[in-house]
Structure formats: structure tokens, C-alpha cells
Amino acid sequence: MSQTNHRTGSVFRVDKFVVPAQARDEILSKARMTHELLRQQEGFVQDFLLEQFSGPGEFNIVTVVEWESQAAVDKVVPIVKAAHERIAFSAQETIARLGVKADIANYQRVPEV
């Protein structure tokens, strides 16, 4: 499917989580908090917080953020790190404490042929 509004340099941050039921509210709360900050940053395009409602997939919470470019991603990383440090939030500690499995990576569009 072709769309003319594709940004050729976009970078997509995709975070996939296996979240136990008892950890759901805390994980979604932290994701919402972080995404509020991300939406205010230069180079932000759009984001999605997704929750699985059917199917056999392993990951039940997925977040996606589209950035204009890798340069935008590089600028936002220290901003998020500093904001999390100010409130003593560690994503790694939270994931470990709650028994969440995470798969986190950056993606780009596959070129059309």
C-alpha cells in the first residue's frame, strides 16, 4: 500500500512488553508520563500506546513513537534521561521489579520498490 505522506527519514521507537496483569496499571502510568514528555519534543511526529485485546501474541503492551529523524531521537534521549532522574524513575528497575519482559528497538520504513 502506498501513501504519499510517508516521511523518508522517520525513525520509529517500538517498545514491546509482556506485562503481568498486576503490573498493567503501573506500566501504563509510566508509559503515559513518558509519552507526555515525548510529545513536547522537537521532531516528534506521532505516538501510540497499544494494548493487545485478541490473538496469540506474546506482547500485550506496545508503544510506538515516530520521530522525524535519527537526529531528533538523539536529541530526546538525554532529555528523557534527565526527566526520569529528576523523579527518581528507572525504567530498567521498574521492569525488573514488576516481572515485565521488554523488547525495545528503533525501526525505519522498508523502502518501496
Side-chain angles (χ1 to χ4, degrees):
M1 173 186 344
S2 177
Q3 293 180 344
T4 57
N5 64 350
H6 284 180
R7 299 174 191 277
T8 56
S10 287
V11 172
F12 297 85
R13 168 69 180 251
V14 180
D15 297 356
K16 300 177 288 190
F17 303 98
V18 177
V19 179
Q22 69 274 12
R24 178 189 178 274
D25 291 345
E26 184 173 348
I27 289 296
L28 286 175
S29 171
K30 299 302 187 190
R32 287 182 181 115
M33 173 194 71
T34 299
H35 280 246
E36 286 176 20
L37 174 64
L38 298 178
R39 291 180 191 119
Q40 299 170 24
Q41 303 310 308
E42 184 178 338
F44 172 87
V45 176
Q46 64 180 335
D47 68 332
F48 301 94
L49 289 125
L50 307 171
E51 185 170 24
Q52 180 184 17
F53 70 94
S54 70
E58 175 182 21
F59 298 99
N60 56 335
I61 302 288
V62 177
T63 67
V64 180
V65 180
E66 180 181 2
W67 296 98
E68 288 179 352
S69 65
Q70 183 61 49
V73 173
D74 294 342
K75 281 184 179 178
V76 79
V77 168
I79 293 168
V80 171
K81 182 178 179 185
H84 285 173
E85 286 175 357
R86 278 194 300 277
I87 62 169
F89 171 64
S90 165
Q92 294 80 11
E93 183 278 330
T94 301
I95 286 169
R97 176 175 53 82
L98 295 174
V100 171
K101 177 182 173 187
D103 178 43
I104 296 171
N106 290 335
Y107 296 80
Q108 60 188 13
R109 291 187 191 276
V110 174
E112 293 186 29
V113 290

